[in-house]
């Protein structure tokens, strides 16, 4: 059974993110996602569907998916097991698996007529993500961590459990009589997240809920910065051949954001595919060069300063030796 206080809390958290419509749930078979399944089933009877992704990386994954399917059948919740055409492989296998997982879930949820996908990310996940990214020197976008609302693989994703602790969700799953398993990869010290999870558990002064609140505050700050950057782009970007940017009086953070957008738009305009480019790429040396009055090139795009006006063009081809 779901305790009335837990159900009321979940309904309130979900209402802040969701108005109406069919919801799709990503249910791995872990305690967190099984708690999400039971909470959503109790709060929204007849309005949820569920899916489990089997990456075919572990022999036990098929059994776990079957366990979720059986429990969903007992609850009367439609369930499907999704598998990628080929298992994720190569470097950064967890990142590749995540990308494949969301692509599968988004396609399934869209075709099933759901309005959003729910995942069971919680406060401990958020705290781990915050610490991992802080250790890498991330800015506001990275430190904002897991967002309560996001669009991934072109589909809305909602995380109503970001204020809940891992232990609370494990209790809820157990009290509801839901079966669950512990993924052995969660204890594998080769993964960064496992090491930061161990650090959190061993350091009581690192309050997971407080860290999660900091991530939420930074997400709000990131939204404000993005809003201001859009306004500045509309006011200060001009032309297309070449594109020019007026950066007079702007703090470095806004220069950084305008430069990133200028690089992205110039690459799209000229169909530049090589070298690779990401909005997360380091552009600090480029900004330093521009501040010193020197042209700089990044990702096939050249930025040239003329005082506080930057000209942005496709970079000339490299001269052969």
């Amino acid at each position: 059974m779901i305790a009335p206080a837990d159900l009321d809390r979940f309904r309130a958290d979900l209402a802040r993110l969701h108005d109406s419509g069919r919801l799709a749930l990503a249910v791995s078979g872990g305690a967190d996602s099984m708690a999400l399944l039971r909470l959503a089933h109790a709060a929204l009877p007849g309005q949820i569907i569920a899916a489990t992704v089997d990456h075919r990386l572990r022999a036990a994954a098929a059994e776990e998916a079957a366990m979720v399917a059986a429990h969903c059948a007992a609850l009367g919740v439609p369930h499907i097991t999704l598998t990628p055409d080929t298992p994720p492989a190569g470097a950064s296998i967890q990142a590749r698996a995540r990308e494949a997982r969301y692509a599968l879930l988004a396609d399934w949820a869209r075709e099933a007529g759901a309005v959003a996908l729910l995942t069971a990310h919680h406060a401990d996940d958020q705290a781990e993500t915050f610490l991992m990214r802080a250790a890498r020197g991330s800015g506001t976008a990275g430190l904002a961590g897991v967002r309560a609302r996001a669009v991934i693989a072109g589909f809305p994703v909602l995380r109503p459990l970001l204020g809940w602790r891992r232990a609370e969700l494990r209790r809820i799953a157990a009290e509801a009589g839901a079966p669950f398993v512990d993924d052995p990869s969660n204890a594998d010290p080769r993964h960064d997240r496992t090491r930061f999870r161990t650090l959190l558990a061993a350091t009581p002064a690192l309050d997971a809920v407080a860290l999660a609140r900091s991530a939420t505050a930074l997400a709000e700050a990131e939204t404000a910065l993005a809003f201001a950057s859009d306004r500045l782009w509309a006011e200060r970007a001009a032309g297309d051949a070449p594109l020019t940017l007026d950066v007079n009086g702007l703090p470095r953070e806004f220069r950084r954001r305008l430069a990133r957008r200028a690089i992205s738009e110039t690459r799209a305009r000229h169909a530049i595919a090589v070298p690779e480019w990401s909005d997360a790429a380091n552009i600090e040396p480029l900004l330093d060069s521009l501040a010193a009055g020197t042209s700089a090139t990044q990702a096939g795009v050249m930025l040239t300063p003329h005082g506080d006006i930057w000209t942005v063009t496709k970079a000339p081809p490299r001269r052969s030796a």
Side-chain angles (χ1 to χ4, degrees), residues 156-178:
V157 176
L158 308 178
R159 280 90 174 224
L161 301 180
L162 284 180
W164 300 60
R165 296 298 306 272
R166 178 180 287 117
E168 292 179 297
L169 298 175
R170 194 177 187 90
R171 170 186 59 77
I172 288 168
E175 289 178 353

Side-chain angles (χ1 to χ4, degrees), residues 225-283:
L225 286 168
F227 175 83
S229 295
D230 286 342
R231 294 288 296 271
L232 288 170
W233 181 267
E235 295 168 358
R236 296 184 177 231
D240 55 10
L243 171 68
T244 62
L245 292 174
D246 178 358
V247 298
N248 180 43
L250 294 183
R252 187 177 176 98
E253 175 63 16
F254 286 119
R255 294 186 178 209
R256 180 182 294 113
R257 288 170 182 262
L258 293 183
R260 289 188 188 282
R261 182 161 176 176
I263 292 169
S264 294
E265 299 215 358
T266 301
R267 283 173 58 88
R269 185 173 298 138
H270 294 282
I272 301 171
V274 179
E276 293 185 357
W277 163 250
S278 164
D279 279 342
N282 177 22
I283 65 167

Side-chain angles (χ1 to χ4, degrees), residues 4 16 30 67 80 85 109 111 143 149 159 170 197-198 205 210 239 241 260 283 315:
R16 285 191 281 271
M67 177 197 74
I80 187 172
D85 292 335
E111 291 175 5
L143 293 175
R149 292 174 179 267
R159 280 90 174 224
R170 194 177 187 90
R197 182 173 297 152
T198 302
R260 289 188 188 282
I283 65 167

Side-chain angles (χ1 to χ4, degrees), residues 84-104:
D85 292 335
T86 57
S92 303
I93 192 168
Q94 284 196 321
R96 291 175 184 271
R98 178 185 183 277
E99 182 178 347
R101 180 166 61 253
Y102 275 110
L104 287 168

